[in-house]
Amino acid sequence: MSDNRRIATVTQLNNFIKALLDQTPVLSNVWIKGEISNLKLHSSGHIYLTLKDEGAVLRAVMFRSAAGKLGFRPENGMKVLAGGRVAVYERDGGYQLYIENMEAEGQGELYVRFELLKKQLGAEGLFDQARKKPIPRFPCTVGICTSPTGAAVRDIINVLRRRCPSVKAVLYPCLVQGEGASKSVVKAIEYFNAVKGADVLIVGRGGGSIEDLWAFNEEATVRAVAASDIPIISAVGHETDFTICDFAADLRAPTPSAAAELAVPDVADIKRQVGEYRSRLSVRLREKIVGSKRTLELLSARAGKETFLRSLGEKQMSVDRLFDRISGDYKSILEQSQRRLSVEAGRLNALSPLGILERGYSVAMAEGRAVRKLEDVTTGDEIWTTVSDGRIRSIVTDKEGAK
Amino acid sequence: MTVKFEEALKELEITVKKLESGETTLEEAMELFEKGVGLTKECHKLLEAAELKVTQLVGGEELAFDADNMG
């Protein structure tokens, strides 16, 4: 069987196409405009991505050696300009762009400068959280570094007037774009610091293109913001505009109006708060008084009853004690008396003349007195002699002395 | 708006909390109340707003700045 077909292996075909592309000079150095998608930052350091526009996609790779020189961090959706060569990747049977250089399209040069400076100052620690100063809650004076003719200053003043009219605002008129703008903003920041002219600074301007906002991406401005002793709120452009000053500032506000809101408290809020404290004081004091009164009533009610019972008990006790004492004394006195009585009775009994008379003695009495001696009587006297059972009357007839 | 205000407000806060702690005698409570009311008045006084004063630095001098009539 004759075979006129040309047969080649896959490898042969891919090699053939590869050779064709390699031999096309224009493909060895092209700049392609597109949007990044399917971005993959590989741990090897290589970057894999797809460039796309409205109609087509192109696979691309950026090897580590080239990726390391990138001045910014690529992201999905970013519009870029990628330069390199187009070649076949035989294994996948596809062609791709081998990127040597890449820049963010449009912003291009400025964008790269932005990223480079941000990286450099970040590495110096200018954006460290530890450096951030707290924004005072109740500033006396707000310093404003912006253009005296822009919308930003008007917005800021309006918000200050609405929220906190007791604050003082001092505007240092600045150029905020074009030649000399950075220098002007730096001067304003330095002025406020030199004279300690404000408690907080608002540094910024309204929205604009990256070129318009550039003064806030210049190294001198960023360093002045970072070096300020007075806390700085940055307020450049709109919500989506980021400048390097935003990173160096103590607080970033999305807009100048928002910066003013962050700089001062809302007096109406504080008045409400003070009013609330005031009413809490009243309520608590009233509660305290009512509570104390109730406690007092309870206590006094209890005290009345208890005191009565206690004093009653005490009286009972003292009555008992007195009774004990009295009855004890009485008993002992009685016993003592009985004892003494029986002793005396014994003695009395012993001394009783009746007993002596029983024993045969008798007592002679003359004129009511016991006769003891001869001289107690004279002859003719009447003598009564008491014996155990009566008396005998005698007349003295003779006296005779004892021998 | 001053540091004095911040201190007064803080003191007021502390006074209210002390009174609310309920660990006070009636006499202490009355004292705290009086102190709190005094602080309230002081806070209000400090908050009583004059017109916002805006000045502009011109040649090192502060001049009144009319925000409504600017370009």
Side-chain angles (χ1 to χ4, degrees):
Chain A
M1 172 171 135
S2 74
D3 194 340
N4 294 327
R5 291 174 298 184
R6 285 190 183 183
I7 295 171
T9 63
V10 174
T11 302
Q12 283 168 337
L13 179 68
N14 280 2
N15 278 340
F16 178 73
I17 293 171
K18 182 178 159 63
L20 273 180
L21 295 192
D22 286 348
Q23 286 155 24
T24 310
V26 70
L27 291 180
S28 67
N29 184 15
V30 290
W31 283 92
I32 309 297
K33 208 161 84 169
E35 188 185 309
I36 295 176
S37 64
N38 296 322
L39 178 72
K40 200 168 179 182
L41 302 170
H42 200 271
S43 58
S44 62
H46 305 327
I47 299 172
Y48 301 94
L49 54 95
T50 304
L51 289 174
K52 64 170 188 183
D53 57 22
E54 294 77 17
V57 298
L58 167 68
R59 274 203 313 199
V61 60
M62 194 169 193
F63 290 131
R64 190 173 62 183
S65 52
K69 285 181 256 166
L70 262 183
F72 65 100
R73 186 182 169 85
E75 272 169 44
N76 280 323
M78 191 179 273
K79 289 198 168 66
V80 292
L81 205 53
R85 67 191 168 87
V86 178
V88 166
Y89 183 38
E90 298 104 314
R91 202 198 72 183
D92 286 0
Y95 64 91
Q96 58 184 2
L97 179 67
Y98 291 81
I99 302 172
E100 294 295 334
N101 294 292
M102 186 160 68
E103 57 189 53
E105 193 224 339
Q107 300 144 0
E109 182 60 13
L110 284 181
Y111 194 88
V112 171
R113 268 168 62 191
F114 176 99
E115 290 294 336
L116 272 177
L117 184 62
K118 192 182 143 203
K119 203 164 150 185
Q120 179 201 330
L121 297 180
E124 275 185 37
L126 250 58
F127 313 148
D128 288 356
Q129 277 305 314
R131 288 182 56 103
K132 309 277 184 212
K133 294 171 283 297
I135 307 300
R137 261 182 90 195
F138 302 108
C140 277
T141 307
V142 177
I144 307 168
C145 307
T146 192
S147 159
T149 55
V153 71
R154 192 164 36 219
D155 291 348
I156 290 168
I157 288 170
N158 283 341
V159 172
L160 294 182
R161 180 175 290 141
R162 173 167 55 76
R163 281 172 71 89
C164 191
S166 49
V167 84
K168 185 185 165 200
V170 179
L171 170 70
Y172 192 109
C174 296
L175 286 171
V176 291
Q177 74 184 72
E179 197 67 31
S182 170
K183 203 180 265 179
S184 165
V185 172
V186 170
K187 224 172 106 185
I189 295 172
E190 286 175 348
Y191 168 82
F192 279 115
N193 275 281
V195 304
K196 298 195 189 334
D199 303 305
V200 61
L201 294 181
I202 297 174
V203 176
R205 53 154 290 152
S209 67
I210 188 171
E211 288 85 1
D212 290 342
L213 307 183
W214 196 250
F216 298 90
N217 287 323
E218 285 192 33
E219 185 170 349
T221 321
V222 180
R223 286 194 185 280
V225 168
S228 173
D229 290 327
I230 302 171
I232 290 185
I233 302 175
S234 73
V236 186
H238 298 304
E239 191 90 45
T240 51
D241 298 326
F242 266 90
T243 65
I244 304 180
C245 278
D246 290 332
F247 297 99
D250 299 294
L251 191 62
R252 183 224 174 213
T255 63
S257 301
E261 287 186 9
L262 292 168
V264 297
D266 191 339
V267 163
D269 276 351
I270 296 175
K271 277 186 176 168
R272 258 195 300 280
Q273 199 187 351
V274 170
E276 195 216 305
Y277 281 148
R278 173 70 177 74
S279 68
R280 269 161 72 185
L281 281 171
S282 297
V283 167
R284 294 306 296 211
L285 185 69
R286 199 172 308 129
E287 279 175 9
K288 186 86 195 172
I289 289 172
V290 168
S292 299
K293 232 170 110 182
R294 201 166 34 231
T295 311
L296 183 66
E297 279 163 7
L298 274 169
L299 273 175
S300 64
R302 248 171 67 199
K305 195 173 155 199
E306 282 197 349
T307 312
F308 174 69
L309 286 177
R310 202 182 311 127
S311 71
L312 186 67
E314 265 167 15
K315 275 178 186 141
Q316 274 175 337
M317 253 155 49
S318 58
V319 166
D320 288 350
R321 222 177 298 126
L322 269 172
F323 181 76
D324 284 350
R325 231 171 71 199
I326 287 168
S327 60
D329 284 353
Y330 178 70
K331 250 161 76 188
S332 68
I333 288 168
L334 192 67
E335 281 165 7
Q336 212 182 330
S337 303
Q338 279 174 336
R339 267 198 308 278
R340 274 178 60 194
L341 184 62
S342 61
V343 168
E344 295 300 321
R347 259 207 211 139
L348 196 61
N349 203 36
L351 289 170
S352 169
L354 293 174
I356 298 166
L357 297 179
E358 294 276 0
R359 295 205 299 272
Y361 295 95
S362 60
V363 179
M365 311 274 282
E367 293 174 345
R369 282 167 47 202
V371 179
R372 297 167 201 271
K373 295 189 169 179
L374 287 179
E375 62 193 52
D376 288 343
V377 290
T378 26
T379 310
D381 280 356
E382 184 181 71
I383 292 170
W384 284 93
T385 305
T386 303
V387 295
S388 63
D389 56 349
R391 293 201 300 173
I392 302 163
R393 182 169 167 270
S394 319
I395 302 291
V396 179
T397 54
D398 201 3
K399 293 203 291 188
E400 193 176 320
K403 304 281 176 356
Chain B
M1 279 295 143
T2 49
V3 178
K4 207 172 139 201
F5 175 81
E6 189 164 10
E7 280 166 3
L9 188 65
K10 198 174 279 170
E11 191 66 31
L12 176 59
E13 226 174 292
I14 292 168
T15 306
V16 171
K17 289 207 173 117
K18 235 188 243 169
L19 184 57
E20 288 185 333
S21 76
E23 290 161 359
T24 51
T25 64
L26 185 59
E27 284 82 356
E28 284 166 344
M30 307 261 284
E31 266 171 37
L32 286 171
F33 175 76
E34 265 173 44
K35 187 179 171 193
V37 170
L39 285 165
T40 306
K41 281 184 187 152
E42 200 180 324
C43 283
H44 271 300
K45 212 167 71 194
L46 291 169
L47 286 175
E48 276 325 315
E51 266 294 283
L52 174 72
K53 201 171 143 207
V54 187
T55 60
Q56 181 177 199
L57 288 155
V58 181
E61 263 186 276
E62 286 189 20
L63 302 177
F65 178 73
D66 188 352
D68 298 322
N69 290 340
M70 57 195 184

